[in-house]
Amino acid sequence: MQGLLTETLPTDLQAHVAQHWESISEQLTHEQQQVLSGQSPSFWQALTRTLAGSDYAAEQWRRKPELLTDLLPDLLRSYSDTHYAQALQGHLSTVNSENDLHQALRRFRQREMVRIIWRDLNRTATLVETTGDLSNLADACIDQALRWLYAQACTQSGTPMSRPSAGKPATPQQLVVIGMGKLGARELNLSSDIDLIFAFPHSGETEGARRCLDNQTFFNRLSQRLIAALDNTTADGFVFRVDMRLRPYGKSGILAPCFAAMEEYYQDQGREWERYAMIKARVVAGDQECGAELMEALRPFVYRKYLDFSAFDSLRDMKAMINREVRRRNLDGNVKLGPGGIREVEFIAQAFQLIRGGRDSRLQQRELRHILPLLPETVGMPQQAVTELEQAYRFLRDSEHALQAVADQQTQELPQETFEQARIAFSMGFDDWESFYQTLQTHRQRVRHHFEQVITPVESEEAPVQDSDDWESLWQGDMEDAALDDFLTQQGYAPDGEAAKMIAELQANRKVAVLQPVARERLDRLMPQLLQQCAGAEAPTRTLQRVLELIEAVLRRSAYLVLLVENPGALAQLVRLCSASAWFAQQLARQPILLDELIDVQSLYAPPDRAHLEDELRQQLLRIPEEDVEQLMESLRYFKHAHVLRVAAAEISGTLPLMKVSDYLTFIAEVILTRVLEIAWRMLTEKHGRPMREPGVPCDPDFIIVGYGKMGGIELSYGSDLDLVFVHNADSQLSTDGDKPIPNQMFFTRLGQRIIHILNTLTHSGQLYEVDMRLRPSGNSGLLVSSLKAFEDYQLKEAWTWEHQALVRARVVAGCSRLQSDFEATRKRILEQPRELEKLATDVVEMRRKMREHLGSKNKADDENAVFNLKQDRGGIVDIEFLVQFFALAYGAKYPALLTFTDNIRILDAVEQASLLSAADAELL
């Protein structure tokens, strides 16, 4: 028989491995030796590495030498996710007693642990496969043991049933086992304990036995037996160490509460660290269907609808507690809990999950390996940082496995003995301890750096601003009035005492007086920073007034205070932009959720182009169930508010010129209208089927939204409403093709109504846009949606001159591209009609006079305080617009370029090119 390749080992390990093999060889039968002798050199190399890295595997082979040959078919193959469950079910099929169950579970676990250790140490399995195998093994052991014990318990005590209620019959009840921590995330390590929570759906009692038990007693006893089956140490060892301390009320809590008790606990008493723990919760055994319902009910406890920056505080507190434990127990060499260890990588990911997971469902995942790659897109973390965290995490987890493979012990502590250090270095693929340790430290230093970028360590937290003691004293009311006024004046505030008055009013505000201690602490941390930031603004007192409106608006939602405390850059941007724009401050006070947009300065001052806007909105809506219309509407509103805010920030900062501002505001509206049309179309076609363009040919959708006014002219401003007209191109005599058909005209009318509803409805986040439909044929008395033919007939035969003026600025902003081409041809025919110039001029001037009288300023001739309406008064914007429209209608037939574009600037360019105005006049306009 071939021998081990001990010469490939470091000198320190050779004798140790040889001794292991000698002990094993003595136990091998002749047949087993024959089987092994036929193995390839790669097998012997792998066996050598395994014996070097794992005393546990060596001991299992010494006690059960047949295990070595029995494992041969499985050492080089990957298992499916269901392999363990199927294999263990076969092992337990002949078990007749609880003692036999314990033995079968332990022996099954021993065999599979040796296989997993072999594959991990020889790198024939990736880290993901190793942790997945370990998690699947645990799942199978828990679930199969529970099935066996549940059947036994029902035989002895009857089947637990729910109480019949509201016409519902009693139904059998089963236990739900929730895996927490690494088990829940399918990231179990080589010697993990398993954190479990037990629960059952409904109260009731057992049926089918001479003596009934209430369900609570039944499931408590079943849970105790399941723990014993997994956790008790027998002659065959244990299956998994079980930790139940994460259940409601911890050690003092009921072992297996009902669902109602679970929900009540997390709703009323759940603590921040329990939210952190629940991120990874997963139903691992028992009633999967009921378990899924429970997890869905608990989801709002974990993921808040708003941006929850309070997670930073709770995670910092948890890390501080761990740091104290690390110092107390001298755990600096611990690859999990020590500085730059596994736990810090997990904290980084889970901080962002808790903060943003309620708004971004992509972050509602358990596995760290799925969360880290999302961070560049979802939270703006640099890709380089994520790459370094991923590399460090893999190295740290591999190191953890190398430590635990030695003796199947739950340790993450680096060894001090030279021999053990040589063993770990070899298992990790290094020639010596020094090179391994240097690489480990590099990874840990990177993790620590990124951790401190995300979660400022408590011990090293510095005052965020200079003179912090003075500002702190001011806010806490420790300054005398005279000293306070002098200090504020010296810092740049106006000497009129207004700043001191505003600060005093906030301090005396009832909302501040009734704040919970945590919220008050957050306000106290923020205000000194905010006061100093405002002092550096261009007009400190005015800026402070604007910012304090926002602060008052968010007092009851103190997570926003944390956002500003944790992100000094965001606070600086807030002060800068509010200083420059009262509108900006008002928007944030109405929609404080938009504060999140201030964090990423790069995106704040660089609004995306139309293609990126389309892609971003599409991605956001894809993450929302199609049937959840309310959430779709909220997502549309947040998208609009966030991007309008970015445009405003870019304009205020001077990085976006005027014409680009209106372009972007129009692009935002176009992208939203496209998605609103898709949503409304889907909702109606699901109910009624598709309208028919002609017999046998469905519409796709043969519907367009035409923008007029500023929308049509690509000239939207921040508060613009949308002047819209809806047009279809289907046969009005036909009906839809669904199970509940309706006439085409009714379908398109309802489609228009649904679009307006989505845009106009005032939700918690406001409305998308105010929609004005008065420019449709026949105005408010006309059909909501016209066919293209009816539209053309009206424009040619009935429309007033002012309606043709409006058509100059009309263009298709969403909908069917084929119908868009037809509409553009129709618009061209209408606008190219020959017109009598004198009558046209009279009509335009008369309409302008009526508008000015109705909408312009009502100044008297001798009014010293006369005001000028930029839009409607003589010489205002509308005068320019009417002049442009006159040129288009008067000369469009002769100069087609006048009808190509819908915006004033490019039409004026065409007017100049046609020599209808001098270059100087065109430039002036």
Side-chain angles (χ1 to χ4, degrees):
M1 180 173 66
Q2 280 185 271
L4 294 183
L5 305 177
T6 53
E7 67 277 4
T8 63
L9 299 172
T11 305
D12 292 346
L13 302 181
Q14 292 180 6
H16 184 76
V17 170
Q19 185 177 357
H20 272 324
W21 182 238
E22 183 179 349
S23 299
I24 296 168
S25 299
E26 292 173 354
Q27 308 301 321
L28 293 171
T29 65
H30 177 71
E31 291 77 9
Q32 291 163 349
Q33 291 178 0
Q34 288 294 106
V35 171
L36 293 177
S37 65
Q39 300 304 309
S40 66
S42 62
F43 165 82
W44 291 99
Q45 181 68 62
L47 177 60
T48 304
R49 288 193 64 87
T50 307
L51 290 173
S54 178
D55 293 345
Y56 170 79
E59 178 61 16
Q60 295 304 312
W61 284 323
R62 187 189 65 78
R63 292 174 57 195
K64 294 186 286 290
E66 68 277 8
L67 191 58
L68 189 53
T69 51
D70 177 57
L71 276 170
L72 286 174
D74 295 332
L75 291 175
L76 295 179
R77 76 182 183 102
S78 298
Y79 284 168
S80 69
D81 286 345
T82 59
H83 173 87
Y84 289 118
Q86 294 167 352
L88 184 55
Q89 188 174 11
H91 278 272
L92 300 185
S93 61
T94 58
V95 167
N96 296 314
S97 70
E98 211 156 329
N99 284 336
D100 290 345
L101 172 70
H102 288 201
Q103 184 180 69
L105 288 169
R106 282 152 181 76
R107 292 186 175 180
F108 182 79
R109 186 257 186 190
Q110 289 164 355
R111 177 192 190 277
E112 298 306 329
M113 283 297 294
V114 171
R115 170 189 170 274
I116 292 171
I117 289 171
W118 176 297
R119 290 172 58 77
D120 185 70
L121 289 176
N122 287 285
R123 298 295 185 260
T124 50
T126 64
L127 173 64
V128 171
E129 186 176 351
T130 296
T131 57
D133 274 355
L134 288 161
S135 303
N136 289 336
L137 174 61
D139 286 2
C141 290
I142 299 166
D143 191 54
Q144 295 297 322
L146 176 59
R147 288 170 186 261
W148 194 95
L149 292 167
Y150 178 76
Q152 289 291 104
C154 289
T155 300
Q156 296 164 0
S157 306
T159 301
M161 306 291 289
S162 64
R163 293 193 179 98
S165 63
K168 294 182 180 179
T171 55
Q173 303 289 288
Q174 293 188 24
L175 191 68
V176 171
V177 181
I178 301 171
M180 307 292 284
K182 284 188 165 61
L183 174 60
R186 295 177 50 79
E187 296 168 346
L188 218 56
N189 60 43
L190 280 178
S191 195
S192 281
D193 58 3
I194 52 176
D195 295 291
L196 302 179
I197 294 176
F198 301 142
F200 65 93
H202 300 290
S203 298
E205 58 184 23
T206 61
E207 295 180 2
R210 284 183 298 176
R211 184 180 178 186
C212 294
L213 292 177
D214 64 88
N215 288 356
Q216 185 71 74
T217 302
F218 177 93
F219 285 114
N220 271 351
R221 291 179 181 178
L222 177 62
S223 299
Q224 291 168 345
R225 293 170 69 182
L226 177 59
I227 293 170
L230 299 170
D231 186 86
N232 284 3
T233 300
T234 70
D236 293 294
F238 60 92
V239 187
F240 288 97
R241 306 174 193 88
V242 177
D243 191 332
M244 299 296 301
R245 289 176 296 176
L246 293 181
R247 68 185 188 272
Y249 301 104
K251 289 182 179 180
S252 61
I254 298 170
L255 198 56
C258 66
F259 283 9
M262 288 275 288
E263 292 180 42
E264 181 181 0
Y265 172 81
Y266 286 111
Q267 180 177 339
D268 297 340
Q269 301 189 48
R271 289 158 291 181
E272 285 297 317
W273 69 263
E274 288 175 300
R275 290 182 61 210
Y276 164 82
M278 271 288 174
I279 286 177
K280 295 189 175 186
R282 174 175 64 93
V283 178
V284 297
D287 190 331
Q288 290 283 344
E289 186 175 340
C290 286
E293 293 175 6
L294 174 62
M295 298 309 298
E296 189 61 32
L298 298 181
R299 184 181 299 274
F301 167 69
V302 183
Y303 296 108
R304 307 284 163 80
K305 287 290 186 183
Y306 52 83
L307 286 166
D308 184 17
F309 280 84
S310 63
F312 278 133
D313 273 345
S314 60
L315 286 171
R316 184 187 290 112
D317 291 344
M318 288 174 62
K319 182 57 183 171
M321 180 181 67
I322 293 170
N323 288 350
R324 290 192 294 271
E325 185 70 2
V326 167
R327 287 193 295 268
R328 187 179 67 82
R329 295 168 52 194
N330 193 25
L331 297 178
D332 283 345
N334 191 296
V335 297
K336 176 182 178 181
L337 302 178
I342 295 167
R343 182 59 56 83
E344 290 190 1
V345 184
E346 295 172 337
F347 272 13
I348 291 170
Q350 286 161 333
F352 290 119
Q353 286 182 272
L354 288 177
I355 292 164
R356 298 172 184 267
R359 273 216 355 237
D360 193 334
S361 59
R362 289 175 296 175
L363 294 172
Q364 295 181 18
Q365 301 185 62
R366 303 177 187 92
E367 298 94 331
L368 183 73
R369 66 189 177 94
H370 294 325
I371 296 299
L372 287 177
L374 293 174
L375 297 185
E377 180 182 352
T378 56
V379 304
M381 178 174 280
Q383 182 59 55
Q384 177 65 26
V386 170
T387 300
E388 290 179 357
L389 287 172
E390 290 175 322
Q391 293 170 345
Y393 181 74
R394 285 193 294 270
F395 191 88
L396 289 163
R397 287 302 304 271
D398 284 340
S399 301
E400 178 184 49
H401 286 172
L403 293 167
Q404 294 177 348
V406 174
D408 189 26
Q409 290 181 351
Q410 189 180 15
T411 180
Q412 289 92 12
E413 195 69 28
L414 294 173
Q416 301 299 315
E417 302 81 6
T418 302
F419 169 77
E420 293 298 338
Q421 290 177 343
R423 186 209 297 264
I424 298 303
F426 176 74
S427 293
M428 287 294 293
F430 289 85
D431 293 333
D432 53 61
W433 174 256
E434 287 72 22
S435 54
F436 161 74
Y437 187 73
Q438 184 177 354
T439 303
L440 174 67
Q441 288 301 92
T442 298
H443 284 302
R444 291 177 69 176
Q445 287 163 7
R446 288 173 178 169
V447 171
R448 165 77 2 171
H449 169 73
H450 296 309
F451 180 81
E452 291 181 352
Q453 294 299 304
V454 175
I455 304 174
T456 306
V458 177
E459 295 88 343
S460 63
E461 216 170 349
E462 297 177 357
V465 293
Q466 294 178 342
D467 303 322
S468 58
D469 290 345
D470 290 335
W471 292 106
E472 181 83 20
S473 297
L474 184 156
W475 172 247
Q476 294 298 337
D478 296 336
M479 284 189 182
E480 297 291 337
D481 291 347
L484 187 151
D485 289 337
D486 288 345
F487 177 74
L488 288 174
T489 302
Q490 290 169 8
Q491 297 299 321
Y493 286 97
D496 57 8
E498 274 301 305
K501 181 181 176 184
M502 286 186 283
I503 295 168
E505 288 175 351
L506 178 62
Q507 291 168 326
N509 191 306
R510 173 159 174 75
K511 291 180 183 177
V512 174
V514 298
L515 284 178
Q516 295 293 321
V518 171
R520 180 62 201 236
E521 179 188 348
R522 292 169 179 173
L523 180 66
D524 290 344
R525 288 175 61 195
L526 172 64
M527 286 307 299
Q529 300 180 42
L530 186 148
L531 292 170
Q532 187 181 20
Q533 285 281 359
C534 289
E538 185 174 340
T541 305
R542 184 186 67 194
T543 302
L544 180 64
Q545 179 185 8
R546 294 172 179 175
V547 176
L548 288 185
E549 289 178 12
L550 168 65
I551 298 302
E552 185 174 350
V554 302
L555 282 173
R556 296 180 188 273
R557 290 172 285 178
S558 65
Y560 293 121
L561 304 179
V562 179
L563 183 155
L564 295 171
V565 170
E566 297 289 350
N567 294 276
L571 178 60
Q573 299 310 318
L574 170 69
V575 170
R576 175 189 179 192
L577 294 167
C578 288
S579 175
S581 168
W583 176 89
F584 201 94
Q586 292 161 4
Q587 288 297 107
L588 286 174
R590 291 193 198 105
Q591 299 283 334
I593 193 172
L594 298 175
L595 283 168
D596 182 47
E597 299 298 321
L598 302 180
I599 294 175
D600 187 351
V601 176
Q602 186 174 358
S603 66
L604 178 65
Y605 293 111
D609 59 24
R610 195 182 193 286
H612 283 90
L613 284 168
E614 286 180 338
D615 185 61
E616 182 179 332
L617 182 56
R618 181 179 61 82
Q619 293 287 348
Q620 286 186 19
L621 297 183
L622 279 175
R623 298 193 288 271
I624 300 172
E626 290 183 350
E627 66 277 7
D628 192 346
V629 180
E630 182 180 348
Q631 188 61 30
L632 288 170
M633 290 171 67
E634 284 296 319
S635 186
L636 286 166
R637 281 154 177 74
Y638 179 82
F639 175 85
K640 182 216 173 175
H641 295 321
H643 282 286
V644 169
L645 195 82
R646 292 188 195 179
V647 173
E651 183 180 13
I652 291 167
S653 67
T655 60
L656 204 61
L658 171 67
M659 295 302 293
K660 288 293 185 181
V661 169
S662 47
D663 283 354
Y664 273 115
L665 292 171
T666 307
F667 293 160
I668 293 167
E670 288 177 6
V671 167
I672 288 173
L673 285 171
T674 298
R675 295 301 166 196
V676 168
L677 172 56
E678 290 178 1
I679 293 168
W681 176 265
R682 183 179 65 245
M683 292 166 67
L684 280 174
T685 54
E686 285 176 353
K687 186 174 183 180
H688 299 294
R690 295 170 297 176
M692 305 303 289
R693 185 193 317 154
E694 54 189 73
V697 181
C699 295
D700 59 347
D702 288 275
F703 178 91
I704 53 174
I705 301 175
V706 181
Y708 277 69
K710 286 186 176 180
M711 182 66 187
I714 320 177
E715 295 168 350
L716 278 189
S717 53
Y718 294 104
S720 293
D721 57 7
L722 302 184
D723 293 298
L724 303 179
V725 169
F726 300 145
V727 178
H728 74 84
N729 196 29
D731 189 333
S732 297
Q733 303 303 312
L734 298 178
S735 298
T736 61
D737 62 357
D739 294 334
K740 298 179 180 178
I742 56 175
N744 279 354
Q745 186 60 47
M746 182 182 294
F747 176 93
F748 284 114
T749 298
R750 291 185 181 178
L751 179 64
Q753 290 169 338
R754 190 64 58 90
I755 291 169
I756 294 170
H757 170 77
I758 295 173
L759 294 170
N760 263 357
T761 299
L762 194 63
T763 72
H764 175 72
S765 301
Q767 66 178 178
L768 273 172
Y769 292 98
E770 183 74 36
V771 177
D772 191 334
M773 299 294 296
R774 290 175 296 178
L775 290 176
R776 68 184 188 269
S778 301
N780 285 340
S781 62
L783 291 172
L784 186 65
V785 185
S786 301
S787 69
L788 182 60
K789 184 177 184 308
F791 178 88
E792 182 172 11
D793 288 346
Y794 174 84
Q795 291 286 346
L796 290 174
K797 299 173 183 177
E798 301 180 48
W800 297 77
T801 299
W802 66 265
E803 291 177 284
H804 288 172
Q805 285 181 246
L807 191 61
V808 170
R809 288 162 64 74
R811 66 186 179 90
V812 176
V813 294
C816 173
S817 58
R818 180 178 56 253
L819 183 52
Q820 176 180 351
S821 298
D822 293 343
F823 175 85
E824 289 169 351
T826 298
R827 171 181 175 272
K828 188 170 185 291
R829 284 196 298 275
I830 295 166
L831 297 180
E832 282 181 345
Q833 291 181 96
R835 292 175 173 84
E836 184 183 337
L837 290 185
E838 187 174 343
K839 182 179 185 309
L840 175 64
T842 300
D843 288 348
V844 172
V845 170
E846 180 61 19
M847 175 54 66
R848 182 70 192 99
R849 183 186 63 78
K850 289 179 180 179
M851 284 184 66
R852 189 179 298 123
E853 289 176 355
H854 181 61
L855 300 171
S857 301
K858 304 299 188 287
N859 297 317
K860 296 179 181 179
D862 58 349
D863 192 345
E864 294 182 359
N865 298 313
V867 296
F868 178 72
N869 187 307
L870 281 169
K871 181 175 179 180
Q872 296 293 347
D873 280 352
R874 187 183 300 275
I877 295 171
V878 178
D879 278 2
I880 301 173
E881 292 176 347
F882 269 47
L883 184 58
V884 167
Q885 292 157 16
F886 170 80
F887 278 120
L889 293 176
Y891 303 106
K894 185 176 181 181
Y895 302 107
L898 295 174
L899 307 178
T900 302
F901 298 108
T902 58
D903 61 287
N904 289 304
I905 297 295
R906 284 189 289 189
I907 296 176
L908 278 171
D909 287 341
V911 169
E912 180 189 344
Q913 292 298 318
S915 300
L916 298 172
L917 277 179
S918 68
D921 284 346
E923 178 65 23
L924 176 67
L925 289 171

